[in-house]
Amino acid sequence: MRSDPSRRNQKKYCRFHGDVGHHTKDCADLKDEIERVILEGRLQELKAERRPRNDGHGGGDSRRSQKDYAHEARGVYHERFWSVSAVKILRFSSADVAFNEDDASGVHFPHNDALVVEAMIGNHTVCRILVDNGSSVDLLYSDYLEKMGIPKEQLEKTSRPLYGFTGDSVIPQGTIRLPITAGEKPRQATTVANFVVIKGGSQYNTVTRRPTLQALRAITSIYHQKVKFPTPNGVGEMKSN
Ligand SMILES: [Zn+2]
């Protein structure tokens, strides 16, 4: 959420954002994300992952609550499914993502610049994100994790080393899943990235790599210094800064 926290309604809590300001059922970002999942055809996958709620008691009560839960879930699913308009599906699935010389306005030539953008990660606007097509994991530096106020206890442990260009390896501090939102409203796309956390800092706060770029269907252009991606509201973009 971008707005000033003190000016938000403190009584309404959103489970998607993990923050106050509005109820989960009124969350526009969650609605966009559900639409995105439906459009990507991933809903079946998510439904399969969802297990019936089990409160650990046998007998009629729990059977009834499971039935209620299934009924409720179906209702929510139908409601949300039908709220996806045909126009949005068309815009998303048949959008041409194109670049032309206008996209390069403001870029000084010749340049040899890396693609460095800004995006929302978790609840934070993160600048200096290096976009790198060349590697398979998203990186986040521990100095920046600390700056975001995320305690190290939230990291999942990993013992898989990361290898650099020169063959040197580091053991990451862990991994953390955080939502990343690209672009400006209304042309935004969100995905959940699994960041590998590396001790220390760098001139970049995070490095966004293949899995996230693929999930966003992002197309990068070094020449135009831009990233573009389809959204239900048209083609979104992130300019290199
Ligand atoms: Zn929300």
Side-chain angles (χ1 to χ4, degrees), residues 219-234:
I219 298 164
T220 61
S221 170
I222 296 292
Y223 174 83
H224 300 97
Q225 289 282 291
K226 229 178 224 184
V227 180
K228 291 194 181 187
F229 46 87
T231 81
N233 300 314

Side-chain angles (χ1 to χ4, degrees), residues 188-240:
Q188 283 185 323
T190 300
T191 184
V192 177
N194 191 29
F195 290 98
V196 173
V197 179
I198 300 291
K199 189 177 166 61
S202 146
Q203 64 179 124
Y204 306 114
N205 293 318
T206 79
V207 185
T208 292
R209 291 175 159 170
R210 283 205 303 260
T212 299
L213 295 171
Q214 191 177 359
L216 293 173
R217 301 191 191 183
I219 298 164
T220 61
S221 170
I222 296 292
Y223 174 83
H224 300 97
Q225 289 282 291
K226 229 178 224 184
V227 180
K228 291 194 181 187
F229 46 87
T231 81
N233 300 314
V235 175
E237 62 176 49
M238 292 189 289
K239 244 182 175 167
S240 193

